[in-house]
Amino acid sequence: MLYLFDLVGVAVFAFSGALAAGRFGLDLLGVVVIATVTAIGGGTLRDVLLSRHPIFWIRDQTYVIVIAITALLTTIYARHFPLPGDSLQIADALGLGLFAITGAQAAESLKIPRIIVIVMGTMTGVAGGMVRDVLTNQIPMVLRGDFYATAAIAGIALYLVLKALGVRPSWAFGAGFVAISGLRLAAIFWGWSLPVFRLGS
Amino acid sequence: MLYLFDLVGVAVFAFSGALAAGRFGLDLLGVVVIATVTAIGGGTLRDVLLSRHPIFWIRDQTYVIVIAITALLTTIYARHFPLPGDSLQIADALGLGLFAITGAQAAESLKIPRIIVIVMGTMTGVAGGMVRDVLTNQIPMVLRGDFYATAAIAGIALYLVLKALGVRPSWAFGAGFVAISGLRLAAIFWGWSLPVFRLGS
Amino acid sequence: MLYLFDLVGVAVFAFSGALAAGRFGLDLLGVVVIATVTAIGGGTLRDVLLSRHPIFWIRDQTYVIVIAITALLTTIYARHFPLPGDSLQIADALGLGLFAITGAQAAESLKIPRIIVIVMGTMTGVAGGMVRDVLTNQIPMVLRGDFYATAAIAGIALYLVLKALGVRPSWAFGAGFVAISGLRLAAIFWGWSLPVFRLGS
C-alpha cells in the first residue's frame, strides 16, 4: 500500500519535474534527468542521512522506469495538448503531501526525536523540488513564501498528534496528506503566505 | 566541551544564514531553512562522507532547536535594530574557525591520511555557507577570493602541527581557531586575497 | 589498472574544472576547489548512494594530490600559453567516458538491477560536471542538449551487452569508453543533439 503511494508520489513529482524542465528548453534526456532528481531527490537524501541502504530506487528499478515513462508521456502530451497553467503547482502539492508523510513514516520507524521526524518528513517532501529549482538556476520555490514547507510541517504534526491520540495509522496518514496538499493548494489559490522578512536596502 | 563549541558554531552560522536569507525577501520558514542548511550543511556532509551515523543533529534535537530559535531571534532583532553591515561576515568567520577545527577533529579520530583530515575539516567549515549561497543563487563566497578556505587550511595545519609537537589538544584547538577566524577577519578588513586566475577574454 | 584509469579520469576532470573556474575569476584556491568537486563529485555521489565506505579519495590521498597538482599546472600553463578553445569540452568528454564505465563497474559488483547500473554509471560520469556548473552559477552542460548523458547511457549499454555476449571485460571496457567519448566528441564537432523540448511561451 505504502509502496503504491510511493510510486504515485514519484510519478506526480516526475510530471512536475518534466513540466519545469520544459520551461528551459532542455533536450529529452535533460527532461528525464530533471524529472528523476525531482522525484527521487527527497527520498534519497532522507535515506542517505538515515543510512537506510540499499536506497529504494537502487534496489528496485520500478521507480526509475515509472519516472522515465511519466517524463516521456508528459513531454509528448504537453507538446500537443496545452495543460492548465497551474498543473505544475498542483502536481507539486500532491507530491509534497505524499512524500512528507511517507518520509515521516520512514523516519518514525527509527528511534529518533519527534521533532527530527518532522524535519526528515519535510525534507523528503521539499528536497527534490529544491534540487529541480537549483539545477534550473532558480531560487527554490520552497524559499519563496507561499506556505510550502509550512504546510508540510503542519500536516506531519497533525499526523503525529492523531497517531499519539490512538487514531488508526491509515486515517492519520490520510488526514496528514489531505492537510498538506490542501493547505498548499489553498495557499496557491487564495495567495496565503507567511510574512516575508527583508533586511538591508 | 566540544559539544558546547559545536552548539556555538551552529548558532553563529544560523545567525549568518538568517542574515543572508534576509537579503532575498524569503518568508520566515525560508529563513529557518537557509539558517539550518548553513548551520548543519558542513557537518552533515562530513558525517555522510565518513559514514558517521547517526548524524549529530538527527540523534540530538538540540541542534535544530538552537538553529530555529537563533534564526527567529535574528529575524526579530534585525527588523527593529540595524546590525553593523559586516555582522554576517564576522559571524561567518567565527563559524568557519569553529567548524573547521571540530571537523578536523572528527576526521582525525578515524584512521585517514593527514592531508584528508585537512580536506574534511575545511569542507566542514565551508560547505554550509556554500549551500547557503547556492540556494540564494550566488557564486559561493568561498570561491570569490578573499582568503576563505585558505584560512581554514592554514589553521587546521597549525592545529595538526602543534599537536604533533606535543602541545596540549585544547591549546592546539584554540590556536587553530584563532588563526582561522583571525586570518579571515584580517582578510576582510585589510582586503587580503589570493591572486585571481582569469582565462579567456 | 582500473586504479590508473581512475587517476587519469580524475586528472582530466580536474583539468576541465580548472579551465571552467578560470572563466569566473576565482582565486587559486577556488580553482582547486572547483577542480576537486568536478573530479571527485561523481564518484563520491556513487559511493555514498551505494554505501561503499571508506570513499575512494578519503582512504587514499593520491586522488586529492593529483587533483591539486593538475589544477595548479593547468592554471600556470593556461596563463602563459593559450589553450585551444575546446580543450575543456575534449577533457570533459574523455573524463565522461572513463568515469561512466568505471562507475558502472563499481555498481555492477553489487547485486543491483542492470538498468540501475546504467543510471549509476551515467551519474558517476555527469555529476561532477553538474556540481561544477551549479557552483559557477550555470545551467549544467548535461541538461543543455548536445548528446551528453545520452552518450554515457549508450556506451554503458554497449559495455554491458558486450560483456553479456562473452567479450573479455577489458575489451568491453575499451569499447564502452571509446563509444562514450567518441559520441560526445562527434556531437560537439558535428553539432548533434537530441530534440529540445520547450513548453510555454
Side-chain angles (χ1 to χ4, degrees):
Chain A
M1 195 60 188
L2 254 183
Y3 181 64
L4 193 70
F5 280 132
D6 243 29
L7 285 178
V8 171
V10 159
V12 163
F13 262 135
F15 173 77
S16 89
L19 288 183
R23 300 194 175 159
F24 293 92
L26 307 179
D27 70 4
L28 265 181
L29 200 77
V31 171
V32 173
V33 169
I34 293 284
T36 305
V37 296
T38 308
I40 65 177
T44 303
L45 184 57
R46 175 200 63 208
D47 285 359
V48 165
L49 293 181
L50 295 176
S51 198
R52 297 171 83 227
H53 292 282
I55 290 173
F56 63 103
W57 58 269
I58 290 177
R59 186 184 42 194
D60 176 2
Q61 58 192 326
T62 314
Y63 292 96
V64 170
I65 294 170
V66 165
I67 291 166
I69 291 175
T70 305
L72 292 176
L73 291 182
T74 303
T75 304
I76 294 167
Y77 184 91
R79 297 193 85 159
H80 296 95
F81 308 95
L83 286 161
D86 38 20
S87 304
L88 193 160
Q89 292 201 302
I90 293 173
D92 202 79
L94 297 176
L96 178 68
L98 278 172
F99 275 11
I101 302 286
T102 57
Q105 285 184 316
E108 227 184 344
S109 63
L110 307 168
K111 290 222 162 68
I112 58 180
R114 207 62 64 83
I115 200 171
I116 302 298
V117 169
I118 296 180
V119 171
M120 298 301 295
T122 304
M123 206 189 62
T124 308
V126 307
M130 285 177 87
V131 178
R132 175 194 65 205
D133 294 343
V134 166
L135 289 181
T136 53
N137 218 352
Q138 301 199 285
I139 293 195
M141 201 188 273
V142 60
L143 299 177
R144 287 171 296 175
D146 300 350
F147 228 73
Y148 194 93
T150 319
I153 292 172
I156 299 170
L158 176 66
Y159 160 78
L160 292 174
V161 167
L162 290 178
K163 272 191 50 181
L165 294 175
V167 173
R168 207 185 307 166
S170 57
W171 284 78
F173 183 106
F177 165 69
V178 168
I180 296 171
S181 300
L183 280 172
R184 175 72 187 128
L185 290 173
I188 294 171
F189 290 116
W190 285 294
W192 295 352
S193 62
L194 286 185
V196 162
F197 162 56
R198 186 177 286 285
L199 287 181
S201 59
Chain B
M1 195 62 188
L2 254 181
Y3 181 64
L4 193 70
F5 281 132
D6 243 30
L7 285 177
V8 171
V10 160
V12 163
F13 262 136
F15 172 77
S16 90
L19 288 183
R23 299 194 176 159
F24 293 92
L26 307 180
D27 71 5
L28 265 182
L29 200 76
V31 171
V32 174
V33 170
I34 293 284
T36 305
V37 297
T38 308
I40 66 177
T44 303
L45 184 57
R46 176 200 63 209
D47 285 359
V48 165
L49 293 181
L50 295 176
S51 197
R52 296 171 84 226
H53 291 282
I55 291 173
F56 62 103
W57 57 269
I58 290 177
R59 189 183 39 195
D60 176 2
Q61 58 191 326
T62 314
Y63 293 96
V64 170
I65 293 170
V66 165
I67 292 166
I69 291 174
T70 305
L72 292 176
L73 290 181
T74 304
T75 304
I76 293 166
Y77 184 91
R79 297 193 86 159
H80 296 96
F81 308 95
L83 286 161
D86 38 19
S87 305
L88 193 161
Q89 293 202 301
I90 294 173
D92 202 80
L94 297 177
L96 178 68
L98 278 172
F99 275 12
I101 302 286
T102 57
Q105 286 184 316
E108 228 184 343
S109 64
L110 307 168
K111 288 224 164 69
I112 59 180
R114 207 61 65 82
I115 200 172
I116 301 298
V117 168
I118 296 180
V119 171
M120 298 300 295
T122 304
M123 207 188 61
T124 308
V126 307
M130 285 178 86
V131 178
R132 175 195 64 205
D133 293 344
V134 165
L135 288 181
T136 53
N137 218 352
Q138 301 200 286
I139 294 194
M141 203 189 270
V142 61
L143 300 176
R144 288 171 297 175
D146 300 351
F147 229 73
Y148 194 94
T150 319
I153 293 171
I156 298 170
L158 176 65
Y159 161 79
L160 292 174
V161 167
L162 289 179
K163 272 191 48 182
L165 294 175
V167 173
R168 207 187 304 166
S170 58
W171 284 78
F173 182 106
F177 165 69
V178 168
I180 296 171
S181 299
L183 280 171
R184 175 70 188 131
L185 289 173
I188 294 170
F189 290 116
W190 286 294
W192 295 353
S193 61
L194 286 185
V196 163
F197 162 56
R198 186 177 286 284
L199 288 180
S201 59
Chain C
M1 194 62 187
L2 253 182
Y3 181 64
L4 193 70
F5 280 132
D6 243 29
L7 285 178
V8 171
V10 160
V12 162
F13 262 135
F15 173 77
S16 89
L19 287 183
R23 299 193 175 159
F24 292 92
L26 306 180
D27 71 4
L28 265 182
L29 200 77
V31 171
V32 173
V33 170
I34 294 284
T36 305
V37 296
T38 308
I40 65 176
T44 303
L45 184 57
R46 175 199 63 208
D47 285 0
V48 165
L49 294 180
L50 295 175
S51 197
R52 296 171 83 226
H53 292 282
I55 291 174
F56 64 103
W57 57 268
I58 290 177
R59 186 183 41 195
D60 176 1
Q61 58 191 325
T62 315
Y63 292 96
V64 170
I65 294 170
V66 165
I67 292 166
I69 292 175
T70 305
L72 292 176
L73 290 181
T74 303
T75 305
I76 293 167
Y77 185 92
R79 297 193 85 159
H80 296 95
F81 308 97
L83 285 161
D86 37 21
S87 305
L88 193 161
Q89 292 202 302
I90 294 173
D92 201 79
L94 297 176
L96 177 68
L98 279 172
F99 275 11
I101 302 286
T102 57
Q105 287 184 315
E108 228 183 343
S109 64
L110 306 168
K111 290 221 162 72
I112 59 180
R114 207 62 64 82
I115 200 172
I116 302 298
V117 168
I118 295 179
V119 171
M120 297 302 293
T122 304
M123 206 188 60
T124 308
V126 307
M130 284 177 87
V131 178
R132 174 196 64 206
D133 293 343
V134 166
L135 288 181
T136 53
N137 217 351
Q138 302 199 286
I139 294 194
M141 202 188 273
V142 62
L143 300 176
R144 288 169 297 175
D146 300 351
F147 228 73
Y148 194 93
T150 319
I153 292 172
I156 299 171
L158 176 66
Y159 161 79
L160 292 175
V161 166
L162 290 178
K163 272 191 49 182
L165 294 175
V167 173
R168 207 185 307 167
S170 59
W171 283 77
F173 182 106
F177 165 69
V178 168
I180 295 171
S181 299
L183 280 172
R184 175 72 187 129
L185 289 174
I188 294 170
F189 290 116
W190 285 295
W192 295 353
S193 62
L194 286 184
V196 163
F197 162 55
R198 186 177 286 284
L199 287 181
S201 58

